[in-house]
Coordinates of all heavy atoms in Angstrom, one line a residue:
M22 N 0.8 -1.2 0.0 CA 0.0 0.0 0.0 C 0.9 1.2 0.0 O 1.9 1.3 0.7 CB -0.9 0.0 1.3 CG -1.9 1.1 1.2 SD -3.1 1.0 2.6 CE -2.2 1.7 3.9
K23 N 0.5 2.2 -0.8 CA 1.4 3.4 -0.9 C 0.9 4.4 0.1 O -0.3 4.7 0.2 CB 1.2 4.0 -2.3 CG 2.2 5.1 -2.6 CD 2.0 5.5 -4.0 CE 2.7 6.9 -4.2 NZ 2.4 7.5 -5.5
L24 N 1.8 5.0 0.9 CA 1.4 6.0 1.9 C 1.5 7.3 1.2 O 2.4 7.7 0.5 CB 2.3 5.9 3.1 CG 2.3 4.7 4.0 CD1 3.4 4.7 5.0 CD2 0.9 4.6 4.6
E25 N 0.4 8.1 1.5 CA 0.5 9.5 1.0 C 1.3 10.4 1.9 O 1.3 10.2 3.1 CB -1.0 10.1 0.9 CG -1.8 9.4 -0.1 CD -3.0 10.2 -0.4 OE1 -3.0 11.5 -0.2 OE2 -4.0 9.6 -0.9
R26 N 2.0 11.3 1.3 CA 2.9 12.2 2.1 C 2.0 13.2 2.8 O 1.1 13.7 2.2 CB 3.9 12.9 1.2 CG 5.0 11.9 0.7 CD 6.1 12.6 0.0 NE 6.7 13.6 0.9 CZ 7.7 14.4 0.5 NH1 8.1 14.3 -0.8 NH2 8.3 15.2 1.3
F27 N 2.4 13.5 4.0 CA 1.7 14.6 4.8 C 2.1 15.9 4.3 O 3.3 16.2 4.2 CB 2.0 14.4 6.3 CG 1.4 15.5 7.1 CD1 0.0 15.6 7.3 CD2 2.2 16.5 7.6 CE1 -0.5 16.6 8.1 CE2 1.6 17.5 8.4 CZ 0.3 17.6 8.6
R28 N 1.2 16.8 4.0 CA 1.5 18.1 3.5 C 0.9 19.2 4.5 O -0.3 19.2 4.6 CB 1.0 18.3 2.1 CG 1.5 19.6 1.5 CD 1.2 19.6 0.0 NE 1.3 21.0 -0.4 CZ 0.6 21.6 -1.3 NH1 -0.2 20.8 -2.0 NH2 0.7 22.8 -1.6
A29 N 1.8 20.0 5.1 CA 1.3 21.0 6.0 C 1.2 22.3 5.4 O 2.1 22.7 4.6 CB 2.2 21.0 7.2
E30 N 0.2 23.0 5.6 CA 0.0 24.4 5.1 C 0.3 25.3 6.3 O -0.5 25.3 7.3 CB -1.4 24.6 4.6 CG -1.8 23.7 3.5 CD -1.2 24.0 2.2 OE1 -0.7 25.1 2.0 OE2 -1.2 23.1 1.3
G31 N 1.3 26.1 6.3 CA 1.6 27.0 7.4 C 2.6 26.5 8.3 O 3.1 25.4 8.1
P32 N 3.0 27.3 9.3 CA 4.1 26.9 10.2 C 3.7 25.8 11.2 O 2.6 25.8 11.7 CB 4.4 28.2 11.0 CG 3.1 29.0 10.9 CD 2.4 28.6 9.6
I33 N 4.6 24.8 11.4 CA 4.4 23.8 12.3 C 5.6 23.6 13.2 O 6.7 24.0 12.7 CB 4.0 22.4 11.7 CG1 5.2 22.0 10.7 CG2 2.7 22.4 11.0 CD1 5.1 20.5 10.3
A34 N 5.5 23.2 14.4 CA 6.6 22.9 15.3 C 7.0 21.4 15.1 O 6.2 20.5 15.2 CB 6.3 23.2 16.7
T35 N 8.3 21.2 14.8 CA 8.7 19.8 14.6 C 9.5 19.4 15.8 O 9.7 18.2 16.0 CB 9.6 19.7 13.4 OG1 10.7 20.7 13.5 CG2 8.9 20.0 12.1
V36 N 9.9 20.3 16.7 CA 10.6 19.9 17.9 C 9.9 20.6 19.1 O 9.9 21.9 19.2 CB 12.1 20.4 17.9 CG1 12.8 19.9 19.2 CG2 12.8 19.8 16.7
F37 N 9.2 19.8 19.9 CA 8.4 20.4 21.0 C 9.2 21.3 21.8 O 8.7 22.4 22.2 CB 7.8 19.3 21.8 CG 6.8 19.7 22.9 CD1 5.7 20.5 22.6 CD2 7.0 19.3 24.2 CE1 4.8 20.8 23.5 CE2 6.2 19.6 25.2 CZ 5.1 20.4 24.8
G38 N 10.4 20.9 22.2 CA 11.2 21.7 23.1 C 11.6 23.0 22.6 O 12.1 23.9 23.3
A39 N 11.5 23.2 21.2 CA 12.0 24.4 20.6 C 10.9 25.5 20.6 O 11.2 26.6 20.2 CB 12.5 24.1 19.2
V40 N 9.7 25.2 21.1 CA 8.7 26.2 21.1 C 8.8 27.1 22.3 O 8.8 26.7 23.4 CB 7.3 25.5 21.1 CG1 6.2 26.5 21.1 CG2 7.1 24.5 20.0
N41 N 9.0 28.4 22.0 CA 9.1 29.4 23.1 C 7.7 29.6 23.6 O 6.8 30.1 22.9 CB 9.7 30.6 22.5 CG 9.9 31.7 23.5 OD1 9.1 31.8 24.5 ND2 10.9 32.5 23.4
T42 N 7.5 29.2 24.9 CA 6.1 29.2 25.5 C 5.7 30.7 25.7 O 4.5 31.0 25.6 CB 6.1 28.5 26.8 OG1 7.2 28.8 27.6 CG2 6.0 27.0 26.5
G43 N 6.7 31.5 26.0 CA 6.3 32.9 26.3 C 5.1 33.1 27.1 O 5.1 32.9 28.3
S44 N 4.0 33.5 26.4 CA 2.8 34.0 27.1 C 1.8 32.9 27.5 O 0.9 33.2 28.2 CB 2.1 35.1 26.3 OG 1.8 34.5 25.0
W45 N 1.9 31.7 27.0 CA 0.8 30.8 27.2 C 1.0 29.8 28.4 O 0.1 29.0 28.7 CB 0.4 30.1 26.0 CG 1.4 29.3 25.2 CD1 2.1 29.6 24.1 CD2 1.8 27.9 25.5 NE1 2.9 28.6 23.7 CE2 2.7 27.5 24.5 CE3 1.4 27.0 26.5 CZ2 3.4 26.3 24.5 CZ3 2.0 25.7 26.4 CH2 3.0 25.4 25.5
R46 N 2.1 29.9 29.1 CA 2.3 29.0 30.3 C 1.3 29.5 31.4 O 1.2 30.6 31.7 CB 3.7 29.1 30.8 CG 4.0 28.2 32.0 CD 5.5 28.2 32.4 NE 5.9 29.5 32.6 CZ 7.0 30.1 31.9 NH1 7.6 29.4 31.1 NH2 7.3 31.3 32.2
Q47 N 0.5 28.5 31.9 CA -0.5 28.8 32.9 C 0.0 28.7 34.3 O -0.4 29.4 35.2 CB -1.7 27.9 32.8 CG -2.4 28.0 31.4 CD -3.2 29.3 31.3 OE1 -4.0 29.6 32.2 NE2 -2.9 30.1 30.3
E48 N 1.0 27.8 34.5 CA 1.6 27.6 35.9 C 3.1 27.5 35.7 O 3.6 27.2 34.6 CB 1.0 26.4 36.5 CG -0.4 26.4 36.9 CD -0.8 25.1 37.6 OE1 -0.5 24.0 37.2 OE2 -1.5 25.3 38.6
Y49 N 3.8 27.8 36.8 CA 5.2 27.6 36.7 C 5.7 26.9 38.0 O 5.1 27.0 39.1 CB 5.9 29.0 36.5 CG 5.7 29.9 37.7 CD1 6.8 30.1 38.7 CD2 4.6 30.7 37.9 CE1 6.6 30.9 39.7 CE2 4.4 31.5 39.0 CZ 5.5 31.7 39.9 OH 5.3 32.5 40.9
P50 N 6.8 26.2 37.9 CA 7.3 25.5 39.1 C 8.1 26.4 40.0 O 8.9 27.2 39.6 CB 8.2 24.4 38.4 CG 8.6 25.0 37.1 CD 7.6 25.9 36.7
T51 N 7.9 26.2 41.3 CA 8.7 26.9 42.3 C 9.3 25.8 43.2 O 8.8 24.7 43.4 CB 7.8 27.8 43.2 OG1 6.8 26.9 43.9 CG2 7.0 28.8 42.4
V52 N 10.5 26.1 43.7 CA 11.3 25.1 44.4 C 11.5 25.5 45.9 O 11.9 26.7 46.1 CB 12.6 24.9 43.7 CG1 13.5 23.8 44.5 CG2 12.5 24.4 42.3
D53 N 11.3 24.6 46.8 CA 11.7 24.8 48.2 C 13.2 24.3 48.3 O 13.5 23.1 48.4 CB 10.8 23.9 49.1 CG 11.3 24.0 50.5 OD1 12.3 24.6 50.8 OD2 10.6 23.4 51.4
Y54 N 14.1 25.2 48.1 CA 15.5 24.9 48.1 C 16.0 24.3 49.4 O 17.0 23.6 49.4 CB 16.3 26.1 47.7 CG 16.1 26.5 46.2 CD1 15.3 27.6 45.9 CD2 16.6 25.8 45.2 CE1 15.0 28.0 44.6 CE2 16.3 26.1 43.9 CZ 15.5 27.2 43.6 OH 15.3 27.6 42.3
E55 N 15.4 24.6 50.5 CA 15.8 23.9 51.7 C 15.6 22.4 51.7 O 16.3 21.7 52.3 CB 15.0 24.6 52.9 CG 15.1 26.1 53.0 CD 15.9 26.5 54.1 OE1 15.7 26.0 55.2 OE2 16.8 27.3 53.9
A56 N 14.5 22.0 51.0 CA 14.1 20.6 51.0 C 14.8 19.8 49.9 O 14.9 18.6 49.9 CB 12.6 20.4 50.9
C57 N 15.3 20.5 48.9 CA 15.9 19.9 47.7 C 17.1 19.1 48.0 O 18.0 19.7 48.7 CB 16.2 21.0 46.6 SG 17.0 20.3 45.2
I58 N 17.2 17.9 47.5 CA 18.4 17.1 47.8 C 19.3 17.0 46.5 O 20.3 16.2 46.5 CB 18.0 15.7 48.3 CG1 17.2 15.0 47.2 CG2 17.4 15.7 49.6 CD1 16.9 13.5 47.5
K59 N 19.0 17.8 45.5 CA 19.8 17.9 44.3 C 20.0 16.6 43.6 O 21.0 16.2 43.1 CB 21.2 18.5 44.6 CG 21.1 19.8 45.3 CD 22.5 20.3 45.7 CE 22.4 21.6 46.6 NZ 23.6 22.1 47.1
C60 N 18.9 15.8 43.6 CA 19.0 14.4 43.0 C 18.9 14.4 41.5 O 19.3 13.5 40.8 CB 17.9 13.6 43.6 SG 16.2 14.1 43.1
G61 N 18.4 15.5 40.9 CA 18.3 15.6 39.4 C 17.1 14.9 38.8 O 17.0 14.8 37.6
T62 N 16.2 14.3 39.6 CA 15.0 13.6 39.1 C 14.2 14.6 38.2 O 13.8 14.2 37.1 CB 14.2 13.0 40.2 OG1 15.0 12.2 41.0 CG2 13.0 12.3 39.7
C63 N 14.0 15.8 38.7 CA 13.2 16.7 37.9 C 13.8 17.0 36.6 O 13.1 17.0 35.6 CB 13.0 18.0 38.7 SG 14.6 18.7 39.3
Q64 N 15.1 17.1 36.6 CA 15.8 17.3 35.3 C 15.6 16.2 34.3 O 15.4 16.4 33.1 CB 17.3 17.5 35.6 CG 18.1 17.9 34.4 CD 19.6 18.0 34.7 OE1 20.1 17.2 35.5 NE2 20.3 18.9 34.1
R65 N 15.7 15.0 34.8 CA 15.6 13.8 34.0 C 14.2 13.7 33.4 O 14.0 13.2 32.3 CB 16.0 12.5 34.7 CG 17.4 12.4 35.0 CD 17.8 11.0 35.4 NE 17.3 10.6 36.7 CZ 17.8 11.0 37.9 NH1 18.9 11.7 37.9 NH2 17.2 10.7 39.0
Y66 N 13.2 14.1 34.1 CA 11.8 13.9 33.7 C 11.2 15.1 32.9 O 10.2 14.9 32.2 CB 10.8 13.6 34.9 CG 10.9 12.2 35.3 CD1 11.7 11.7 36.3 CD2 10.0 11.2 34.7 CE1 11.8 10.4 36.6 CE2 10.0 9.9 35.1 CZ 10.9 9.5 36.1 OH 10.9 8.2 36.4
C67 N 11.9 16.2 32.9 CA 11.3 17.3 32.2 C 11.3 17.0 30.7 O 12.4 16.7 30.1 CB 12.2 18.6 32.4 SG 11.6 20.0 31.4
P68 N 10.2 17.1 30.0 CA 10.1 16.7 28.6 C 10.8 17.6 27.7 O 11.0 17.3 26.5 CB 8.6 16.6 28.4 CG 8.0 17.5 29.4 CD 8.9 17.4 30.6
V69 N 11.1 18.8 28.1 CA 11.7 19.8 27.2 C 13.1 20.2 27.6 O 13.6 21.2 27.1 CB 10.7 21.0 27.0 CG1 9.5 20.6 26.3 CG2 10.5 21.7 28.3
D70 N 13.6 19.5 28.6 CA 15.0 19.7 29.0 C 15.1 21.2 29.5 O 16.1 21.8 29.2 CB 16.0 19.4 27.9 CG 17.4 19.1 28.4 OD1 17.5 18.9 29.6 OD2 18.3 19.2 27.6
A71 N 14.2 21.7 30.3 CA 14.2 23.1 30.7 C 14.8 23.2 32.1 O 14.8 24.3 32.7 CB 12.8 23.6 30.7
I72 N 15.3 22.2 32.7 CA 15.9 22.2 34.0 C 17.4 22.0 34.0 O 17.9 21.0 33.4 CB 15.2 21.2 35.0 CG1 13.7 21.6 35.1 CG2 15.9 21.2 36.4 CD1 12.9 20.6 35.9
T73 N 18.1 22.8 34.8 CA 19.5 22.6 35.0 C 19.8 22.5 36.5 O 19.3 23.3 37.2 CB 20.4 23.7 34.4 OG1 20.0 23.9 33.0 CG2 21.9 23.5 34.5
I74 N 20.5 21.5 36.9 CA 20.9 21.4 38.3 C 22.3 22.0 38.5 O 23.2 21.7 37.8 CB 21.0 19.9 38.8 CG1 19.6 19.2 38.5 CG2 21.3 19.8 40.2 CD1 18.5 19.7 39.3
R75 N 22.3 23.0 39.4 CA 23.6 23.7 39.7 C 23.9 23.4 41.1 O 23.6 24.1 42.1 CB 23.4 25.2 39.5 CG 22.9 25.5 38.1 CD 22.6 27.0 37.9 NE 21.6 27.5 38.9 CZ 21.1 28.7 38.8 NH1 21.4 29.5 37.8 NH2 20.2 29.1 39.7
A76 N 24.6 22.2 41.3 CA 24.8 21.7 42.7 C 25.6 22.6 43.6 O 25.5 22.5 44.8 CB 25.5 20.3 42.5
D77 N 26.4 23.5 43.0 CA 27.2 24.4 43.8 C 26.5 25.7 44.2 O 27.1 26.5 44.8 CB 28.5 24.7 43.0 CG 28.2 25.3 41.6 OD1 27.1 25.1 41.1 OD2 29.1 26.1 41.1
Q78 N 25.3 25.8 43.8 CA 24.6 27.1 44.1 C 23.4 26.9 45.0 O 22.8 25.8 45.1 CB 24.1 27.7 42.8 CG 25.3 28.1 41.9 CD 24.9 29.0 40.7 OE1 23.9 29.7 40.8 NE2 25.6 28.9 39.7
E79 N 23.1 27.9 45.8 CA 22.0 27.8 46.8 C 20.7 27.5 46.1 O 19.9 26.7 46.5 CB 21.9 29.1 47.5 CG 21.3 29.0 48.9 CD 21.5 30.2 49.7 OE1 22.6 30.6 50.0 OE2 20.4 30.8 50.1
E80 N 20.4 28.3 45.0 CA 19.2 28.0 44.2 C 19.6 27.0 43.1 O 19.9 27.4 42.0 CB 18.7 29.3 43.6 CG 18.2 30.2 44.7 CD 17.3 31.4 44.1 OE1 17.2 31.5 42.9 OE2 16.7 32.1 45.0
C81 N 19.7 25.7 43.5 CA 20.3 24.7 42.7 C 19.5 24.2 41.5 O 20.1 23.5 40.7 CB 20.7 23.5 43.6 SG 19.3 22.9 44.6
V82 N 18.3 24.5 41.5 CA 17.4 24.1 40.3 C 17.1 25.3 39.5 O 16.4 26.2 40.0 CB 16.2 23.4 40.8 CG1 15.3 22.9 39.6 CG2 16.5 22.2 41.7
A83 N 17.6 25.3 38.3 CA 17.4 26.5 37.4 C 16.4 26.1 36.3 O 16.6 25.0 35.7 CB 18.7 27.0 36.9
F84 N 15.5 27.0 35.9 CA 14.5 26.7 34.8 C 14.8 27.6 33.7 O 15.1 28.8 33.8 CB 13.1 26.9 35.4 CG 12.7 26.0 36.5 CD1 12.9 26.5 37.8 CD2 12.2 24.8 36.3 CE1 12.6 25.7 38.9 CE2 11.9 24.0 37.3 CZ 12.1 24.4 38.6
A85 N 14.7 27.1 32.5 CA 14.8 27.9 31.2 C 13.3 28.3 31.0 O 12.5 27.6 30.4 CB 15.3 27.0 30.1
W86 N 13.0 29.5 31.4 CA 11.6 30.0 31.3 C 11.1 30.2 29.9 O 9.9 30.2 29.7 CB 11.5 31.3 32.1 CG 11.8 31.1 33.6 CD1 12.7 31.6 34.3 CD2 11.1 30.2 34.5 NE1 12.7 31.2 35.6 CE2 11.7 30.3 35.7 CE3 10.0 29.4 34.3 CZ2 11.2 29.6 36.8 CZ3 9.5 28.6 35.4 CH2 10.1 28.7 36.6
D87 N 12.0 30.3 28.9 CA 11.5 30.5 27.6 C 10.9 29.1 27.1 O 10.2 29.1 26.1 CB 12.6 30.9 26.6 CG 12.9 32.4 26.7 OD1 12.1 33.1 27.3 OD2 13.9 32.8 26.1
F88 N 11.3 28.0 27.7 CA 10.9 26.7 27.2 C 10.0 25.9 28.2 O 9.3 25.0 27.7 CB 12.1 25.9 26.8 CG 12.9 26.6 25.7 CD1 14.1 27.2 26.0 CD2 12.4 26.7 24.5 CE1 14.8 27.9 25.1 CE2 13.1 27.4 23.5 CZ 14.3 28.0 23.8
C89 N 10.0 26.2 29.5 CA 9.2 25.5 30.4 C 7.7 25.7 30.0 O 7.2 26.8 29.8 CB 9.4 26.1 31.8 SG 8.2 25.5 33.0
K90 N 7.0 24.5 29.9 CA 5.6 24.5 29.5 C 4.7 24.6 30.7 O 3.4 24.7 30.5 CB 5.3 23.3 28.7 CG 6.2 23.0 27.5 CD 6.1 24.1 26.5 CE 7.0 23.8 25.3 NZ 8.4 24.3 25.4
G91 N 5.2 24.5 31.9 CA 4.3 24.6 33.0 C 3.5 23.3 33.2 O 2.4 23.3 33.8
C92 N 4.0 22.2 32.7 CA 3.3 20.9 32.7 C 3.2 20.3 34.0 O 2.3 19.5 34.3 CB 3.9 19.9 31.7 SG 5.6 19.4 32.2
G93 N 4.1 20.6 34.9 CA 4.0 20.0 36.3 C 4.6 18.6 36.5 O 4.6 18.1 37.6
I94 N 5.2 18.1 35.4 CA 5.8 16.8 35.5 C 7.0 16.8 36.6 O 7.1 15.9 37.4 CB 6.4 16.3 34.2 CG1 5.2 16.0 33.3 CG2 7.2 15.0 34.3 CD1 5.5 15.7 31.8
C95 N 7.8 17.8 36.6 CA 8.9 17.9 37.6 C 8.3 17.9 39.0 O 8.9 17.2 39.9 CB 9.7 19.2 37.3 SG 8.7 20.7 37.3
A96 N 7.2 18.6 39.2 CA 6.6 18.6 40.5 C 6.1 17.2 40.9 O 6.2 16.8 42.1 CB 5.5 19.6 40.6
N97 N 5.5 16.5 39.9 CA 5.0 15.2 40.2 C 6.1 14.2 40.5 O 5.9 13.3 41.3 CB 4.2 14.7 39.0 CG 2.8 15.3 38.9 OD1 2.3 15.8 39.9 ND2 2.2 15.3 37.8
E98 N 7.2 14.4 39.9 CA 8.3 13.3 40.0 C 9.3 13.6 41.1 O 10.0 12.7 41.5 CB 9.0 13.2 38.7 CG 8.2 12.8 37.5 CD 7.6 11.4 37.7 OE1 8.2 10.6 38.4 OE2 6.5 11.2 37.1
C99 N 9.3 14.8 41.7 CA 10.3 15.1 42.7 C 10.0 14.2 43.9 O 9.0 14.2 44.5 CB 10.2 16.6 43.1 SG 11.2 17.0 44.5
P100 N 11.0 13.4 44.3 CA 10.9 12.5 45.5 C 10.7 13.2 46.8 O 10.2 12.6 47.8 CB 12.2 11.7 45.4 CG 13.2 12.6 44.8 CD 12.4 13.4 43.8
K101 N 11.1 14.5 46.9 CA 10.9 15.2 48.1 C 9.7 16.2 48.1 O 9.6 17.0 49.0 CB 12.2 16.0 48.4 CG 13.5 15.2 48.5 CD 13.4 14.1 49.6 CE 13.7 14.7 51.0 NZ 13.7 13.7 52.0
T102 N 9.0 16.1 47.0 CA 7.8 17.0 46.8 C 8.2 18.5 47.1 O 7.4 19.2 47.8 CB 6.6 16.6 47.6 OG1 6.9 16.6 49.0 CG2 6.1 15.2 47.2
C103 N 9.3 18.9 46.7 CA 9.7 20.3 47.0 C 9.5 21.2 45.8 O 9.9 22.4 45.9 CB 11.2 20.3 47.5 SG 12.4 19.6 46.4
I104 N 8.9 20.7 44.7 CA 8.5 21.6 43.6 C 7.0 21.7 43.7 O 6.3 20.7 43.7 CB 8.9 21.0 42.3 CG1 10.4 20.8 42.2 CG2 8.4 22.0 41.2 CD1 10.9 20.3 40.8
K105 N 6.5 22.9 43.7 CA 5.1 23.2 43.7 C 4.8 24.1 42.5 O 5.6 24.9 42.1 CB 4.7 24.0 45.0 CG 5.0 23.3 46.3 CD 3.9 22.2 46.6 CE 4.2 21.6 47.9 NZ 4.5 20.2 47.9
M106 N 3.7 23.9 41.9 CA 3.2 24.7 40.7 C 2.4 25.9 41.3 O 1.6 25.7 42.1 CB 2.4 23.8 39.8 CG 3.1 22.6 39.2 SD 4.7 23.0 38.4 CE 4.1 23.8 36.9
A107 N 2.8 27.0 40.7 CA 2.1 28.2 41.1 C 1.5 28.9 39.8 O 2.0 28.8 38.8 CB 3.1 29.2 41.7
P108 N 0.3 29.5 40.0 CA -0.3 30.1 38.8 C 0.4 31.3 38.4 O 0.9 32.1 39.2 CB -1.8 30.5 39.3 CG -1.6 30.5 40.8 CD -0.5 29.6 41.2
V109 N 0.5 31.5 37.1 CA 1.2 32.7 36.5 C 0.2 33.9 36.8 O -1.0 33.8 36.7 CB 1.4 32.6 35.0 CG1 1.8 33.9 34.4 CG2 2.4 31.5 34.7
G110 N 0.8 34.9 37.4 CA 0.0 36.1 37.7 C -0.6 36.0 39.1 O -1.5 36.9 39.4
G111 N -0.2 35.1 39.9 CA -0.7 35.1 41.3 C -1.9 34.1 41.5 O -2.2 33.3 40.6
E112 N -2.4 34.1 42.7 CA -3.5 33.2 43.1 C -4.7 33.4 42.3 O -5.1 34.5 41.9 CB -3.8 33.4 44.6 CG -2.7 32.9 45.5 CD -3.3 32.3 46.7 OE1 -4.5 32.0 46.8 OE2 -2.5 32.1 47.6
R113 N -5.4 32.3 41.9 CA -6.7 32.4 41.2 C -7.8 32.1 42.1 O -7.7 31.4 43.1 CB -6.7 31.4 40.1 CG -5.8 31.8 38.9 CD -6.0 30.9 37.7 NE -4.8 30.9 36.9 CZ -4.1 29.8 36.6 NH1 -4.6 28.6 37.0 NH2 -3.1 29.9 35.9
Ligands
SF4_16 S1 13.7 16.3 42.0 FE1 13.2 17.6 43.7 S2 14.9 17.1 45.2 FE2 15.5 16.3 43.2 S3 16.8 18.0 42.3 FE3 14.7 18.3 41.6 S4 13.7 19.7 43.1 FE4 15.6 18.8 44.0
SF4_17 S1 6.8 22.3 34.5 FE1 7.2 20.8 32.9 S2 8.3 21.9 31.3 FE2 8.5 23.2 33.2 S3 10.4 22.5 34.1 FE3 8.7 21.3 35.0 S4 8.7 19.4 33.8 FE4 9.8 21.0 32.6

């Protein structure tokens, strides 16, 4: 069977992590740095590689805000539950 080629009209994202979220993130991750054990689990699970662990710094979990989607996976996977999601723009 011959497969038809997909033809897209207009711009499409081919790499999810390359999409600059800018204005559409609804929530963002916040870290309790006192409780963080710098295990790197959040970094491993982030689907867009937006987390960097800086073990030598007090604020040891850094987020690339241009790419963080606010998905909450890092908060779900943190073994110390020290990442909480907060609404963009304050409490709702
Ligand atoms: S998963 Fe939690 S404890 Fe581990 S580095 Fe990330 S924030 Fe820290
Ligand atoms: S909220 Fe999602 S995209 Fe943002 S740092 Fe956490 S896992 Fe990555």
Side-chain angles (χ1 to χ4, degrees):
M22 187 172 81
K23 188 178 168 193
L24 292 175
E25 288 196 26
R26 288 187 62 183
F27 175 72
R28 188 168 162 211
E30 303 284 343
I33 58 168
T35 55
V36 181
F37 184 55
V40 179
N41 184 325
T42 46
S44 60
W45 58 262
R46 183 176 51 239
Q47 296 290 302
E48 293 186 312
Y49 66 98
T51 62
V52 180
D53 175 356
Y54 291 105
E55 303 254 311
C57 175
I58 57 172
K59 305 175 185 175
C60 65
T62 303
C63 53
Q64 182 184 39
R65 285 194 295 279
Y66 277 91
C67 175
V69 294
D70 201 19
I72 297 176
T73 304
I74 304 297
R75 305 177 301 191
D77 57 333
Q78 295 189 29
E79 205 169 301
E80 295 195 353
C81 53
V82 182
F84 299 93
W86 296 118
D87 279 350
F88 301 107
C89 169
K90 307 294 184 275
C92 65
I94 291 173
C95 53
N97 282 340
E98 298 299 333
C99 173
K101 303 299 281 182
T102 61
C103 57
I104 301 180
K105 303 279 184 244
M106 300 304 289
V109 172
E112 290 215 11
R113 286 192 205 121

